[in-house]
Amino acid sequence: MPQLRLKLLEPHRTSLEKCVYCPKLSRAACPVSNVEANETVTPWGKMSMAYFAGRGDVPLDALHADPAWACSGCYACRERCDHKNEVATVLTDARAEFFARGLAPEGARRAAERFWAREDAGDGEPDARAAASGAVRVLVGCGYVRHAPDVAEDALDATEALIGAPVRPVRACCGLPLLYAGDRPGFEAAARRLAAEVAEGERFVAVDPGCARAVRVEYARAGVDVKAPELFVDLAVASLDRLQRSTSERRVRYHDPCQLGRGLDRYDAPREILARITGRPPEEFIHRREHADCSGGGGLVPATRPASSAAIADGRIAEHRALGGGLLVTHCAQSLRRFRSRGEPAEDLASLVARAVAPR
Ligand code: SF4
Ligand code: SF4
């Protein structure tokens, strides 16, 4: 059997072929195809297009490359798939092949350019603690630092209180925007730089689950050795007895972020933390835990398909309000940004923990 001409797809040949010959069982799970109502961007359509491009059945051009970016990396299709096909991973590798050939959509190319422009400008330090000598390195996440600096500060304060020692923000970005853009060499360079920085500290904590999963899972795929980060949510749930009951928290509804839930298998911990702080289990969306619906914030979809991303977020917000509203809480910089930018004053779990945690 001839090798696929897109070499990064060869290890995924079995997954690709399962999708191509599948009756689209994961179709209803995909947030992108649900809002676009387009067969080409169903999980089946995206995998088929990548497979046909890999085999040489369709031209290698921007038109046939584009569907690979119609994925928010939410992993929802995997939960509906009898084969547990890792569609998001396959499409991430397809993006790398297309990007290297100059076939990435404009939104992805601009995201990669902006990443390097920020790096050149030395952007990304959360606060004065960047110069501290704390032995605990904290990867807050660029999404929080740039778009929710209030949460970035809360996350640092809360981590410091939970651990009982000074913390030092990690300066390097995990490189996830480059991975999603398709800039694989750039992602690997960013990964090596972060790995070198955190090797110096005694402990390494990651707050944003997208960053945490990138370091835990994607660095290994890229062949980069790194100290595995502890998760902020794990630190908080291990110190439940130090979280004080809030007298002011309103009715709270929890949104499972894809990266924390399906990405890192953390479903109970955030709910236990919210129950401790508010005195009762959080309200739920109709689809929750393994089958939770995406916020539309991941996979660079806000940059490559902004209208689809906004429509996905609007769907979550409309459901939240139809179910009775309250305070929408999530734990992911991209989801938080999506909700806030679409008019819902959502909060991050890190902020609630920062307000609730008693000092040691
Ligand atoms: S991910 Fe699974 S269910 Fe979905 S099209 Fe592929 S093989 Fe079928
Ligand atoms: S990972 Fe999510 S967005 Fe991507 S194809 Fe699967 S369901 Fe669709």
Side-chain angles (χ1 to χ4, degrees):
M1 189 181 300
Q3 295 271 302
L4 296 175
R5 63 179 170 170
L6 301 180
K7 291 194 172 36
L8 288 174
L9 295 187
E10 186 59 41
H12 303 303
R13 181 188 279 272
T14 304
S15 295
L16 286 159
E17 289 178 345
K18 281 181 174 145
C19 281
V20 168
Y21 296 108
C22 173
K24 312 178 194 175
L25 297 177
S26 61
R27 187 182 194 294
C30 184
V32 178
S33 57
N34 283 344
V35 297
E36 294 192 11
N38 175 357
E39 286 299 300
T40 305
V41 295
T42 59
W44 166 84
K46 289 175 280 204
M47 291 287 272
S48 297
M49 195 64 83
Y51 183 64
F52 296 146
R55 279 184 16 142
D57 296 337
V58 298
L60 274 181
D61 58 19
L63 179 70
H64 294 93
D66 184 71
W69 277 269
C71 173
S72 65
C74 77
Y75 321 114
C77 49
R78 184 188 67 201
E79 301 303 321
R80 302 275 186 99
C81 173
D82 288 346
H83 311 291
K84 297 292 176 219
N85 255 3
E86 294 283 356
V87 172
T89 301
V90 179
L91 295 177
T92 299
D93 287 352
R95 291 182 189 192
E97 291 282 8
F98 294 134
F99 187 97
R101 290 166 173 78
L103 303 177
E106 188 184 353
R109 282 186 277 117
R110 277 212 245 117
E113 287 163 11
R114 279 198 304 271
F115 180 95
W116 292 117
R118 280 194 302 270
E119 292 297 301
D120 291 345
D123 192 4
E125 293 186 3
D127 68 4
R129 280 178 283 206
S133 58
V136 181
R137 299 288 194 273
V138 181
L139 178 61
V140 175
C142 299
Y144 288 128
V145 173
R146 283 205 306 281
H147 303 295
D150 55 323
V151 180
E153 281 300 314
D154 288 342
L156 289 168
D157 290 345
T159 307
E160 205 158 79
L162 289 166
I163 287 183
V167 301
R168 178 176 175 177
V170 174
R171 294 175 54 140
C173 172
C174 72
L176 190 58
L178 295 176
L179 181 76
Y180 284 144
D183 180 356
R184 189 60 58 91
F187 171 67
E188 291 174 6
R192 284 192 293 273
R193 197 170 52 179
L194 184 140
E197 185 180 344
V198 302
E200 297 167 10
E202 286 171 20
R203 292 181 73 175
F204 173 28
V205 177
V207 180
D208 186 277
C211 307
R213 186 190 172 278
V215 176
R216 284 185 167 201
V217 179
E218 298 295 343
Y219 281 24
R221 288 207 318 122
V224 176
D225 278 338
V226 65
K227 181 187 294 176
E230 302 170 61
L231 304 184
F232 173 86
V233 76
D234 290 347
L235 288 180
V237 81
S239 296
L240 273 188
D241 58 344
R242 293 184 46 222
L243 300 183
Q244 295 170 343
R245 171 93 179 267
S246 166
T247 53
S248 61
E249 301 299 355
R250 293 179 285 149
R251 179 182 186 197
V252 163
R253 185 181 320 280
Y254 179 63
H255 168 258
D256 285 285
C258 306
Q259 299 295 325
L260 184 66
R262 289 183 289 267
L264 292 166
D265 199 29
R266 297 301 192 279
Y267 301 105
D268 293 333
R271 288 174 168 80
E272 288 173 25
I273 293 164
L274 288 173
R276 171 76 187 186
I277 293 173
T278 65
R280 60 178 181 175
E283 305 287 330
E284 299 281 1
F285 281 89
I286 295 168
H287 298 142
R288 65 198 69 159
R289 300 176 68 94
E290 288 86 349
H291 299 296
D293 289 317
C294 175
S295 69
L300 278 193
V301 170
T304 57
R305 308 173 99 81
S308 300
S309 171
I312 296 167
D314 289 350
R316 299 293 77 69
I317 293 168
E319 182 184 339
H320 167 60
R321 293 175 181 172
L323 290 170
L327 176 61
L328 180 55
V329 175
T330 189
H331 183 48
C332 157
Q334 304 307 327
S335 294
L336 185 71
R337 185 181 179 200
R338 276 286 62 177
F339 292 144
R340 287 181 171 179
S341 70
R342 300 304 297 171
E344 182 64 31
E347 286 217 58
D348 195 278
L349 187 70
S351 295
L352 276 73
V353 171
R355 292 197 289 270
V357 67
R360 277 183 193 272

